[in-house]
C-alpha cells in the first residue's frame, strides 16, 4: 500500500498544474453607508469626488462608464474612454470593461474586466473589493498589470480619503498641470 501511495504521489507531481489566473485584488473599508459607497461608483458626481475630474456614467448594463482622467485630451485619449458597465446588482456588485493608458497602445486596443463588490460592515462603513482580470502575458501586458496594481491602490486610497474627510477631491491643480502640458513650448528668445 505504501508503495502504491508513493507511486501515486510521483505520478501526480508529474501532471501539469494550471496556474491561477493573474489578477489584481484590492480591498478597502470606507466610512460611508452602503448607498453612499454605491453612488460613489455609479454616478458622475461620485466618480468626480475621488476617481477622475470628469466621467460619463450610465448605471445600467451596457451603459457608459467613461472615466476622463484628462477631460481636455482628444477623444480616445481622455483615460478610460468608451468603457461599459457590464453587470450591476444594486448595492452588491458592478462590473465594467477596462483599458490600458494611451501610453500602452498594444494593450489599450484590448479590454480587461473589473468587478467591484460592496458589503455593509455596519451602518456607517462599507467594504469594497476590487478584482481586475483578463491580463495577457509579457511586454506591454506586464507593464499594464504593474501600472494598474499601483493605480487601483491610489484610486481606492482616494475613495477612503474622500469619505474620511467628507470632501470630494479638488481637481483644479491636476487640470491646470494637464493644460500646461498641452500648451506649445515658447520659442527660445534670441
Amino acid at each position: 500500500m505504501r508503495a502504491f501511495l508513493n507511486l501515486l504521489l510521483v505520478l501526480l507531481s508529474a501532471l501539469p498544474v494550471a496556474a491561477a489566473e493573474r489578477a489584481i485584488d484590492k480591498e478597502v473599508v470606507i466610512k460611508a453607508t452602503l448607498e453612499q459607497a454605491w453612488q460613489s461608483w455609479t454616478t458622475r458626481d461620485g466618480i468626480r469626488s475621488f476617481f477622475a475630474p470628469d466621467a460619463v456614467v450610465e448605471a445600467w448594463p451596457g451603459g457608459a462608464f467613461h472615466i476622463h482622467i484628462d477631460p481636455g485630451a482628444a477623444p480616445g485619449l481622455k483615460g478610460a474612454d468608451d468603457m461599459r458597465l457590464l453587470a450591476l446588482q444594486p448595492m452588491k456588485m458592478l462590473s465594467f470593461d477596462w483599458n490600458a493608458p494611451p501610453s500602452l497602445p498594444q494593450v489599450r486596443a484590448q479590454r480587461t474586466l473589473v468587478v467591484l463588490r460592496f458589503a455593509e460592515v455596519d451602518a456607517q462603513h462599507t467594504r469594497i473589493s476590487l478584482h481586475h482580470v483578463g491580463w495577457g502575458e509579457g511586454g506591454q501586458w506586464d507593464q499594464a498589470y504593474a501600472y494598474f496594481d499601483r493605480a487601483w491602490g491610489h484610486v481606492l486610497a482616494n475613495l477612503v480619503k474622500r469619505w474620511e474627510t467628507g470632501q470630494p477631491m479638488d481637481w483644479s491643480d491636476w487640470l491646470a498641470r494637464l493644460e500646461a502640458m498641452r500648451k506649445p513650448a515658447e520659442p527660445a528668445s534670441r
Side-chain angles (χ1 to χ4, degrees):
M1 181 67 159
R2 183 175 211 90
F4 173 74
L5 289 175
N6 285 337
L7 177 60
L8 184 60
L9 286 174
V10 169
L11 291 174
L12 288 175
S13 68
L15 293 174
V17 177
E21 180 178 18
R22 181 161 63 159
I24 295 172
D25 290 297
K26 307 274 185 193
E27 185 175 281
V28 292
V29 173
I30 63 173
K31 187 179 176 181
T33 66
L34 183 58
E35 171 133 1
Q36 290 169 323
W38 181 255
Q39 294 294 317
S40 293
W41 286 93
T42 59
T43 67
R44 178 176 181 249
D45 286 343
I47 293 294
R48 293 175 67 215
S49 76
F50 78 98
F51 198 149
D54 204 5
V56 177
V57 180
E58 300 169 344
W60 59 78
F65 194 67
H66 308 177
I67 308 300
H68 297 159
I69 307 299
D70 184 356
L77 300 175
K78 296 177 183 286
D81 301 353
D82 300 321
M83 301 300 98
R84 295 276 166 218
L85 288 166
L86 302 173
L88 292 92
Q89 297 171 5
M91 309 296 171
K92 293 181 184 176
M93 183 279 296
L94 76 103
S95 63
F96 48 91
D97 64 344
W98 201 245
N99 65 0
S103 61
L104 301 171
Q106 294 168 346
V107 176
R108 188 171 175 81
Q110 299 187 50
R111 298 289 188 265
T112 54
L113 171 70
V114 178
V115 178
L116 295 173
R117 297 202 182 274
F118 300 77
E120 185 176 79
V121 174
D122 60 37
Q124 294 301 315
H125 294 88
T126 303
R127 175 176 292 106
I128 299 174
S129 303
L130 178 144
H131 182 66
H132 190 168
V133 294
W135 303 100
E137 296 289 332
Q140 287 190 357
W141 280 110
D142 292 346
Q143 294 171 26
Y145 180 88
Y147 173 86
F148 281 112
D149 193 33
R150 287 185 310 275
W152 285 125
H154 293 300
V155 168
L156 293 176
N158 284 347
L159 180 62
V160 169
K161 181 179 175 185
R162 184 267 176 266
W163 287 105
E164 281 181 356
T165 66
Q167 298 297 314
M169 180 81 104
D170 178 358
W171 296 102
S172 303
D173 291 341
W174 171 256
L175 293 170
R177 286 193 305 261
L178 291 173
E179 196 57 40
M181 290 183 344
R182 273 194 281 284
K183 288 185 180 182
E186 296 286 325
S189 35
R190 297 182 182 206

